[in-house]
Amino acid sequence: MLDTVSAMKLVIAGKGGSGKTSISGTMARLLGRDGYGVLAIDADSNPNLALTLGVPAEEMGKVPTLPRDLLRRTPEGTELAKTIEEICKSHSLPAPDNVTLLVMAHPQHAGTG
Ligand SMILES: Nc1ncnc2c1ncn2[C@@H]1O[C@H](COP(=O)(O)OP(=O)(O)O)[C@@H](O)[C@H]1O
Ligand SMILES: [Mg+2]
């Protein structure tokens, strides 16, 4: 099926401790190893996807937090003020296996779970 689509968006949400981060990280890395470009976005308020993606611990704190003015209100709704490419250029972190990580929030101490 993947051969017939140019882009696939997958959202994983659910109960805490149910395996969301483990499944997300594993899927991202497997797709990346198969040659797909993967943008993994960690929207958890306690983000730790970086760990599962294999980003070294010392790299994790280096990604700048996404600024609030990235979102713009229009009469039709909310939209991004920049393109996803521009956002990734300034705010993403390269991870192993062809995966790029974008972290939406940065608490001081992210744990697992
Ligand atoms: N298939 C699995 N079998 C056993 N333990 C798992 C499995 N998937 C995840 N875990 C463990 O369960 C805990 C919670 O997983 P995690 O992916 O962090 O969940 P979530 O992101 O939903 O909070 C972690 O300690 C993780 O290592
Ligand atoms: Mg998690």
Side-chain angles (χ1 to χ4, degrees):
M1 184 192 86
L2 280 173
D3 290 338
T4 63
V5 293
S6 58
M8 176 175 70
K9 291 179 187 171
L10 190 60
V11 176
I12 298 188
K15 198 171 171 281
S18 57
K20 300 183 297 294
T21 298
S22 306
I23 286 178
S24 307
T26 304
M27 283 183 65
R29 296 184 76 164
L30 289 176
L31 286 167
R33 285 182 198 180
D34 278 351
Y36 296 96
V38 180
L39 175 62
I41 304 175
D42 195 351
D44 200 310
S45 54
N46 184 18
N48 54 22
L49 183 61
L51 209 63
T52 309
L53 287 177
V55 174
E58 60 272 19
E59 296 283 312
M60 289 181 202
K62 290 188 184 167
V63 203
T65 310
L66 291 180
R68 284 183 165 275
D69 61 7
L70 276 185
L71 286 180
R72 186 165 53 202
R73 282 184 200 278
T74 71
E76 286 76 38
T78 310
E79 64 178 23
L80 286 174
K82 289 183 178 178
T83 65
I84 196 75
E85 288 78 16
E86 287 171 324
I87 296 170
C88 284
K89 219 171 186 180
S90 53
H91 288 82
S92 71
L93 200 67
D97 297 320
N98 207 23
V99 177
T100 299
L101 172 67
L102 199 61
V103 182
M104 289 176 69
H106 274 288
Q108 288 304 307
H109 302 285
T112 55

